[in-house]
Amino acid sequence: MLLTDKRLLLIGGKGGVGKTTCSAALALLAASRGKKVLLVSTDPAHSLSDAFDRVIGDNTTRLSPNLDGLELDPDREVTQHLARVTAQLKRFCQPQMYQEIERQMRLTRQSPGAQEAAMLERIADVIEQGLKHYDLIIFDTAPTGHTLRLLSLPEAMAAWTQGLLNANKRSEQLGEVLTHLSPKAGRDISNPLADPSEHATAGMDERNKAITDTLLTRQRLLQRTRQILTDARQSALLFVLTPEKLPILETTRAIQSLARENLPLAGLIVNRILPGCADGEFLIARREQEQRHLAQIEQDFSGLAQYKVPLQPTDIQGLAALQHIADLLELAGL
């Protein structure tokens, strides 16, 4: 099975190793194989627009036949996320509380994790809606540390949702919901995202029912996202690195962390390898160092497929240059 036959691909790696170029090239390769592809960037640098030499932004944009692009802006996502939360809270509170709600939302905007939480919810929605219209979604992710937080947030947000439900325990009806959601009710304790009982809101008043439905809708969305991300039949994560010490070290740590999350790792794109025709004393020394790093990559990642791409003589920008990288990826076995 080719990687382009999957439904979801996430391209990760240290900043500056060429993730966006490889993501764009892989998307073009999949599109050339007849797949309808959505290429999504979660990198706040908006380098996807730079790679294709055109404005993409937050609206789905046609980039080439069978290929659409989308750039998610973290700041915009936080603003829209908090606006939705504010509107929901105001539905359940008296008007005299509105000013305090807005103050709390302003504080929340600056809190650690606010951006990641907003991005996660948008990513989950893009995956769910995108898979209805596209054969393949490719995420050009932000640098590795950000990616790890995004992929681990479903459990954290499920625990947060559970905490909010627990905070309302004084309500007799909501206490009944917690009985349904508790491990004692037979749920899988090892899976905090397990789908709650469909009767969770039975017997509640309308206010508590609306609050609980909102929380559980988010929890179920995150559950479905996590299931897709960990399903090796549908999804794969591909790392990009260059034959240099720091990218190798960071990729090693990232792969160890992602393996603990049971995410399906498909292989590596080893980018910017010096071509054999490069000469001169400086390049000879550089190539000798590079060969040592390539040997280390072969040894450290022997269990993963490796797709090697040579360094190009010029910057990669525009459709023709990206198509050339796509051709190289195909030659490398992708």
Side-chain angles (χ1 to χ4, degrees), residues 242-244 270-291 294 308-313:
T242 52
E244 299 171 284
V270 187
N271 196 25
R272 299 177 187 156
I273 299 174
L274 287 172
C277 58
D279 55 14
E281 289 186 8
F282 174 83
L283 286 177
I284 289 173
R286 185 77 185 180
R287 188 182 293 107
E288 288 176 353
Q289 175 182 276
E290 181 182 87
Q291 289 301 314
L294 287 170
K308 297 180 179 179
V309 179
L311 177 69
Q312 299 303 296

Side-chain angles (χ1 to χ4, degrees), residues 196-268:
S197 166
E198 61 181 4
H199 305 298
T201 58
M204 284 187 181
D205 60 45
E206 288 303 311
R207 176 181 177 278
N208 278 336
K209 184 177 186 298
I211 293 172
T212 305
D213 281 341
T214 298
L215 297 175
L216 295 183
T217 295
R218 180 177 291 114
Q219 185 170 332
R220 288 166 181 148
L221 174 63
L222 295 174
Q223 176 192 11
R224 293 191 295 271
T225 302
R226 180 67 180 181
Q227 287 173 342
I228 292 169
L229 288 173
T230 55
D231 183 355
R233 296 168 299 177
Q234 298 187 74
S235 303
L237 198 148
L238 195 63
F239 266 89
V240 181
L241 77 162
T242 52
E244 299 171 284
K245 186 171 185 178
L246 292 182
I248 292 172
L249 291 173
E250 182 162 333
T251 301
T252 300
R253 290 192 294 269
I255 285 177
Q256 290 171 349
S257 298
L258 293 169
R260 289 194 292 269
E261 297 291 332
N262 296 317
L263 290 161
L265 299 168
L268 309 170

Side-chain angles (χ1 to χ4, degrees), residues 12 14 158 195 302:
K14 182 178 173 62
D195 194 27
S302 59

Side-chain angles (χ1 to χ4, degrees), residues 180-196:
H180 286 299
L181 292 176
S182 69
K184 292 179 181 178
R187 292 175 69 242
D188 182 1
I189 300 174
S190 66
N191 181 9
L193 292 171
D195 194 27

Side-chain angles (χ1 to χ4, degrees), residues 134-179:
Y134 294 91
D135 301 314
L136 172 64
I137 301 175
I138 297 177
F139 277 91
D140 168 31
T141 65
T144 302
H146 193 179
T147 303
L148 290 171
R149 289 193 295 276
L150 284 172
L151 294 173
S152 62
L153 264 173
E155 286 87 348
M157 288 191 72
W160 175 79
T161 300
Q162 195 70 40
L164 286 181
L165 290 171
N166 194 50
N168 285 281
K169 197 170 183 178
R170 288 171 296 179
S171 164
E172 186 175 346
Q173 293 91 345
L174 199 51
E176 184 65 25
V177 173
L178 291 174
T179 299

Side-chain angles (χ1 to χ4, degrees), residues 38 54-64 67-70:
L38 176 63
R54 59 175 299 180
V55 175
I56 297 175
D58 195 37
N59 295 311
T60 302
T61 303
R62 178 55 52 92
L63 300 175
S64 72
L67 175 59
D68 291 341
L70 177 67

